[in-house]
Amino acid sequence: AQSVTQLGSHVSVSEGALVLLRCNYSSSVPPYLFWYVQYPNQGLQLLLKYTSAATLVKGINGFEAEFKKSETSFHLTKPSAHMSDAAEYFCAVVNQAGTALIFGKGTTLSVSS
Amino acid sequence: DTEVTQTPKHLVMGMTNKKSLKCEQHMGHRAMYWYKQKAKKPPELMFVYSYEKLSINESVPSRFSPECPNSSLLNLHLHALQPEDSALYLCASSQEGQRYGYTFGSGTRLTVV
């Protein structure tokens, strides 16, 4: 069955530092993978998605992720953190039946000045 | 229009009340979803509608009753809820085929007293 594991429930960085949020997937078929961001008391916003077209995926707000099949990873990065990046980040994969998204447990990103 | 609109944004209801949550999208998406999200947790799938027919019910208690009146609307009828049902209820929609990802609404914050 498809699943994702997010390593680290909480990541803290300084403003201007590199952001790295980790996600590993388990899938018996080529996966569709997504990163979503959730700001307090809001819904989820799609940051980027991997659908097998390209291994390096660029998203909104300067985020990008690289699909590495050999490592079963889809880590999210941003070269320089901004205070407005502080939020909850979820990695997600489409389930095996192709009928729904399955979310990781989430990573809280804190950005300090 | 690239949004999923949920109403109301906040709802407080007693355990004997009947209320409804509403969700609307005008993107032509043919799949719509209800998710439940407790604090500090990832969203959990409740129901999936595909082409206005219920395709997935994730063993949700019958006090939650979904309805899809047409391809743009999705309702969640609530009756005799328990305090533990207090959560953020998220509606989402997607194009046919899972590789596009979901568009989420901003959610309804439900409190059961």
Side-chain angles (χ1 to χ4, degrees):
Chain A
Q2 267 73 340
S3 66
V4 287
T5 300
Q6 291 185 241
L7 302 176
S9 60
H10 197 174
V11 171
S12 297
V13 300
S14 299
E15 193 172 21
L18 172 71
V19 175
L20 171 60
L21 304 182
R22 301 177 186 272
C23 174
N24 287 90
Y25 70 90
S26 173
S27 177
S28 56
V29 297
Y32 293 140
L33 293 162
F34 306 85
W35 275 100
Y36 283 86
V37 61
Q38 186 176 32
Y39 298 100
N41 298 312
Q42 294 189 24
L44 281 73
Q45 181 181 14
L46 180 65
L47 279 176
L48 48 79
K49 59 188 176 186
Y50 170 74
T51 57
S52 76
T55 57
L56 183 61
V57 182
K58 294 186 182 300
I60 62 172
N61 302 339
F63 284 94
E64 62 181 39
E66 186 172 8
F67 176 76
K68 292 187 177 181
K69 185 178 180 179
S70 60
E71 300 177 7
T72 62
S73 69
F74 189 56
H75 300 333
L76 182 70
T77 61
K78 182 174 181 178
S80 177
H82 192 273
M83 297 293 287
S84 60
D85 294 326
E88 190 77 13
Y89 291 80
F90 292 99
C91 182
V93 66
V94 175
N95 67 359
Q96 191 163 359
T99 53
L101 276 181
I102 306 300
F103 289 90
K105 292 187 176 181
T107 298
T108 302
L109 175 65
S110 299
V111 182
S112 58
S113 58
Chain B
D1 188 353
T2 58
E3 291 186 345
V4 173
T5 303
Q6 289 188 245
T7 56
K9 293 192 181 303
H10 302 274
L11 178 62
V12 179
M13 62 183 291
M15 289 187 284
T16 59
N17 291 160
K18 288 184 179 181
K19 296 287 184 182
S20 297
L21 308 184
K22 297 185 182 300
C23 174
E24 188 169 6
Q25 59 89 12
H26 295 288
M27 295 177 281
H29 291 175
R30 301 315 299 266
M32 297 185 75
Y33 312 81
W34 281 113
Y35 279 83
K36 174 182 178 180
Q37 186 179 26
K38 301 284 278 186
K40 304 297 184 184
K41 298 291 186 182
E44 296 179 346
L45 183 65
M46 300 176 71
F47 302 104
V48 179
Y49 271 84
S50 179
Y51 289 87
E52 301 162 48
K53 292 185 178 180
L54 183 64
S55 61
I56 293 178
N57 176 339
E58 290 289 312
S59 302
V60 178
S62 60
R63 57 185 184 268
F64 295 91
S65 176
E67 177 195 21
C68 190
N70 59 55
S71 60
S72 299
L73 294 174
L74 185 65
N75 298 322
L76 186 62
H77 302 299
L78 314 173
H79 174 55
L81 295 192
Q82 302 298 310
E84 58 264 30
D85 295 322
S86 299
L88 181 67
Y89 288 84
L90 293 164
C91 175
S93 69
S94 68
Q95 294 177 313
E96 189 175 1
Q98 291 296 326
R99 64 185 181 276
Y100 298 103
Y102 293 6
T103 300
F104 281 85
S106 57
T108 293
R109 176 72 62 186
L110 174 67
T111 302
V112 182
V113 298

